[in-house]
Amino acid sequence: MAILGIDIGGSGVKGAPVDTARGELLEERFRVPTPQPSDVGSVVEAVAEVAAKFTGYDRVGITFPGVVVDGVTRTAANVDKSWLDAPAARLFSERLSVPVSVLNDADAAGVAEVAFGAGHDQRGLTMMLTFGTGIGSALFLDGTLIPNTEFGHLELDGKDAELRASDRAREQEDLSWEKWAGRVQDYLRHVEMLLSPRLFIVGGGVSKKADKWLPLIEVRTPIVPATLLNNAGIIGAAVTAGQAHGHPGGFPVDADQPS
Ligand code: BGC
């Protein structure tokens, strides 16, 4: 049976059944706006609305834009604070009546990119960074996820990095591509100084416009745009749910072996 992947984002909750062996959507995805406020009850209902569009799945993988440990959401930088310490996997699983795995959104996108996209067969340390409402990070060593890194919250120029270099900061401050790329470059240089990754993969909505800003960035580390774009979170969530074999919660993912 298929696995449903659902991606909870800052503006939309999107989902589709996934072929987890190929990393492809089996049907067109369905999207509803993220409820505002994005409290636990409202988001659980939005997820249920997306899930109700599909049939024929026996487990669900869900992304969340914060730290997720053993199915419990631990941080809520860009969502309602009711998510702090919420038993998310249990709540979703009770509402959807199937086993549910929940993982961080950037981790999910990274799992998909490492299994099927820009990070495929990459050895050593690979770092996926998503630039959207916040900055998400996912770190892989030889294809294995080190979950729940939060490098979007490094301090840059005395501020939380995501407040200066996320795509939301670009939009809110109406920054030119040059100006924003300068901030992203400062951020990436800081990250490479700390971690020396072999590869940066940049994702999030803004990676669709990579031609506008990626050529402006000079860092030592090779840097490539994500290739699965909008669907990476959905695919990575489903792959992870497949690997969890019905046990809700956060699992270290061996993304080289999608089931
Ligand atoms: C959160 C991360 C998340 C990122 C992207 C950050 O504010 O702390 O957990 O991955 O935003 O949504």
Side-chain angles (χ1 to χ4, degrees):
M1 263 218 232
I3 301 178
L4 192 62
I6 298 183
D7 191 14
I8 300 173
S11 56
V13 177
K14 302 140 271 187
V18 176
D19 177 338
T20 54
R22 292 168 178 270
E24 288 166 8
L25 303 193
L26 290 165
E27 288 179 52
E28 201 175 317
R29 62 193 208 149
F30 179 71
R31 178 187 190 277
V32 298
T34 304
Q36 296 303 335
S38 53
D39 57 277
V40 174
S42 308
V43 172
V44 169
E45 284 316 305
V47 164
E49 195 182 334
V50 171
K53 283 281 162 189
F54 305 100
T55 54
Y57 58 87
D58 63 355
R59 69 186 73 232
V60 181
I62 301 178
T63 77
F64 177 77
V67 170
V68 187
V69 178
D70 294 336
V72 176
T73 47
R74 296 285 189 206
T75 67
N78 294 307
V79 285
D80 187 77
K81 301 303 174 226
S82 57
W83 284 98
L84 290 172
D85 295 326
R90 181 165 63 74
L91 295 173
F92 287 125
S93 176
E94 281 171 5
R95 182 66 180 81
L96 304 179
S97 305
V98 286
V100 172
S101 300
V102 185
L103 78 161
N104 173 262
D105 56 355
D107 283 351
V111 164
E113 291 294 335
V114 163
F116 307 108
H120 190 61
D121 279 342
Q122 182 70 29
R123 310 318 289 174
L125 204 62
T126 300
M127 188 162 200
M128 166 109 192
L129 292 165
T130 62
F131 293 86
T133 309
I135 298 178
S137 65
L139 199 60
F140 294 83
L141 183 62
D142 293 339
T144 300
L145 175 66
I146 298 159
N148 287 314
T149 56
E150 285 283 318
F151 290 110
H153 298 291
L154 285 175
E155 194 177 301
L156 194 64
D157 297 333
K159 278 196 184 171
D160 201 44
E162 74 174 20
L163 297 180
R164 298 208 17 99
S166 64
D167 194 39
R168 180 165 63 180
R170 182 183 67 81
E171 284 176 354
Q172 278 183 345
E173 296 182 48
D174 201 15
L175 300 174
S176 66
W177 288 109
E178 288 74 17
K179 179 107 182 151
W180 182 70
R183 291 186 184 184
V184 173
Q185 175 173 292
D186 289 348
Y187 172 66
L188 293 173
R189 286 185 177 178
H190 191 59
V191 172
E192 71 182 357
M193 181 273 288
L194 292 170
L195 293 169
S196 301
R198 296 259 180 99
L199 179 69
F200 280 131
I201 304 172
V202 289
V206 79
S207 64
K208 275 184 282 184
K209 301 172 198 153
D211 55 316
K212 294 198 190 301
W213 59 276
L214 210 46
L216 306 174
I217 298 217
E218 286 180 27
V219 288
R220 280 193 313 214
T221 310
I223 179 167
V224 294
T227 55
L228 301 168
L229 302 175
N230 280 340
N231 295 329
I234 294 174
I235 294 168
V239 167
T240 303
Q243 292 178 340
H245 294 300
H247 301 286
F251 280 73
V253 174
D254 179 359
D256 277 348
Q257 320 239 310
S259 54

